[in-house]
Amino acid sequence: MTPDSLWKDNILYQPESLIEVYKNKLIALSMYEHAKNHTNNSVGATGGRNDDETKKHFAERFLTSSARTQFVVIDPREDFKTVSNNLKSTFSSGEISILDIPAGTGAGILSLLTSLAELRFHSKLPKLPLHVNIVGADFSTSALMIYSQLLQEIENVLKQHLIFIEYETCEWDATNPQSTNLLIRQFLKEEDKYEEHYVLMSAFSGVGSSNYKKFDKSFDYIQTALSHLHTTILYIEPNTNEASTFLGFIDKLHNKLTTWLSKVINLSINPDARFQWHDPITGNTPKSAIILKQYSRE
Ligand SMILES: C[S@@+](CC[C@H](N)C(=O)[O-])C[C@H]1O[C@@H](n2cnc3c(N)ncnc32)[C@H](O)[C@@H]1O
């Protein structure tokens, strides 16, 4: 059962702790009014390298992205039981390392961690010590700056729920295999310390389908470099034509590689993966829909 604070009358509500750090950051960036007045269209800023694009994306799209991740974690209608259970079990206790790509300003990871904290608070999950090592990578330095600041802001709240985080960021260009090599070296530098490795890839499809081919070598490299580890790769995307093309591209990549990532969960055609969420900044209740794919090696 999902607590009312996260899901009520078929509407998703984001954790108070997440809303608070997000709101404070909007105010600090002088973007609160912008966020309040925008219309939750499905089309919005797609993120980018410079400060202004990053701020706009943060103000317009952060909560949409975090709502999608939360919907998968809490899975209130049991649409993605295997994925949700796998997430809850991986992030239940022990030492886990997570690669968050593209990190953006952290909607995915913050949503994951604050949702887990809220589930622990309501005794829906056991409160066992959990140490999460986070490597967030993106080609936008301005996004990574906000990313680190938000994680710093949320760190103490998470601690109260026995979720302890360490984090670092890495400037990374997915079109450049050398840059991906450096990222993976950073991610795996203390690989023996962790019981599991997790790769969260959320909202990458928006970079435009003409770019996917350029990620080929890097994605290929990531999978190969992780192939000796107990790993899960989870892709969470909005349900758009572009995202279907992106996940099709990912599928081909995985198929032509090895079979080491044995379990594939593909819920891209699940018609129920639609939901409504409450936007605490605009007061609106926009609709959202997701598609996802999970590859895991037990
Ligand atoms: C929509 S955001 C996703 C952020 C986050 N994962 C989320 O769920 O909100 C997309 C990110 O992709 C990044 N990006 C675009 N092209 C990239 C590339 N070639 N290499 C690395 N990051 C890239 C952008 O800077 C942007 O932060």
Side-chain angles (χ1 to χ4, degrees):
M1 267 288 286
T2 312
D4 277 2
S5 59
L6 297 180
W7 180 259
K8 197 172 170 207
D9 300 330
N10 279 318
I11 295 174
L12 179 143
Y13 293 83
Q14 305 202 33
E16 280 297 329
S17 54
L18 173 70
I19 296 167
E20 195 182 327
V21 292
Y22 175 64
K23 217 186 230 177
N24 289 343
K25 182 51 69 188
L26 280 177
I27 294 167
L29 295 171
S30 308
M31 291 303 283
Y32 185 76
E33 286 307 313
H34 182 99
K36 204 169 166 185
N37 295 322
H38 104 282
T39 47
N40 296 104
N41 286 332
S42 56
V43 183
T46 52
R49 262 181 156 140
N50 72 41
D51 268 15
D52 285 345
E53 275 178 56
T54 299
K55 283 195 325 196
K56 196 161 179 278
H57 187 263
F58 182 65
E60 297 183 7
R61 308 301 296 160
F62 183 95
L63 289 179
T64 316
S65 243
S66 53
R68 283 195 299 265
T69 304
Q70 182 186 328
F71 188 60
V72 179
V73 178
I74 64 173
D75 191 26
R77 295 192 311 242
E78 304 196 338
D79 294 313
F80 330 99
K81 226 171 165 177
T82 321
V83 177
S84 171
N85 287 348
N86 179 53
L87 265 168
K88 287 177 195 142
S89 131
T90 299
F91 294 93
S92 59
S93 65
E95 305 263 351
I96 313 298
S97 192
I98 180 165
L99 178 63
D100 183 13
I101 46 176
T105 50
I109 189 76
L110 265 112
S111 174
L112 166 65
L113 296 171
T114 54
S115 299
L116 291 172
E118 189 73 10
L119 292 172
R120 285 174 170 228
F121 176 69
H122 289 280
S123 307
K124 302 294 177 194
L125 286 179
K127 198 171 159 183
L128 300 167
L130 168 69
H131 296 262
V132 187
N133 176 60
I134 302 161
V135 177
D138 200 288
F139 78 171
S140 163
T141 343
S142 46
L144 289 177
M145 202 125 69
I146 298 176
Y147 183 91
S148 301
Q149 290 161 352
L150 292 181
L151 282 173
Q152 192 182 357
E153 300 288 325
I154 208 78
E155 197 173 354
N156 279 335
V157 176
L158 296 173
K159 250 185 216 162
Q160 292 163 20
H161 304 283
L162 299 192
I163 300 173
F164 306 97
I165 58 168
E166 283 176 358
Y167 48 90
E168 52 187 348
T169 57
C170 177
E171 271 178 53
W172 167 62
D173 182 353
T175 64
N176 179 336
Q178 280 78 20
S179 154
T180 304
N181 174 42
L182 293 177
L183 169 65
I184 293 300
R185 284 167 71 117
Q186 184 175 341
F187 180 53
L188 296 184
K189 70 176 182 288
E190 292 184 289
E191 65 177 82
D192 294 341
K193 227 174 116 178
Y194 304 106
E195 291 149 46
E196 276 187 58
H197 288 78
Y198 205 94
V199 183
L200 176 64
M201 266 213 212
S202 104
F204 215 161
S205 62
V207 298
S209 46
S210 57
N211 286 310
Y212 302 159
K213 203 77 198 94
K214 299 182 195 153
F215 299 155
D216 240 26
K217 284 206 170 69
S218 290
F219 285 13
D220 187 333
Y221 183 79
I222 292 171
Q223 295 173 52
T224 310
L226 300 179
S227 61
H228 61 298
L229 296 165
H230 185 171
T231 309
T232 297
I233 307 181
L234 177 63
Y235 300 86
I236 305 178
E237 290 291 334
N239 194 353
T240 60
N241 290 340
E242 212 166 35
S244 298
T245 309
F246 179 69
L247 291 184
F249 156 77
I250 294 293
D251 240 0
K252 269 198 203 135
L253 208 67
H254 280 280
N255 290 341
K256 86 169 190 253
L257 280 169
T258 57
T259 50
W260 64 270
L261 283 166
S262 48
K263 278 200 209 155
V264 178
I265 291 145
N266 177 358
L267 296 171
S268 22
I269 48 162
N270 187 340
D272 293 330
R274 298 164 202 277
F275 64 99
Q276 272 185 289
W277 61 279
H278 176 253
D279 183 330
I281 309 292
T282 61
N284 297 335
T285 312
K287 289 190 176 121
S288 190
I290 65 169
I291 51 176
L292 54 77
K293 228 170 241 286
Q294 175 183 292
Y295 299 84
S296 55
R297 180 179 191 228
E298 299 297 318

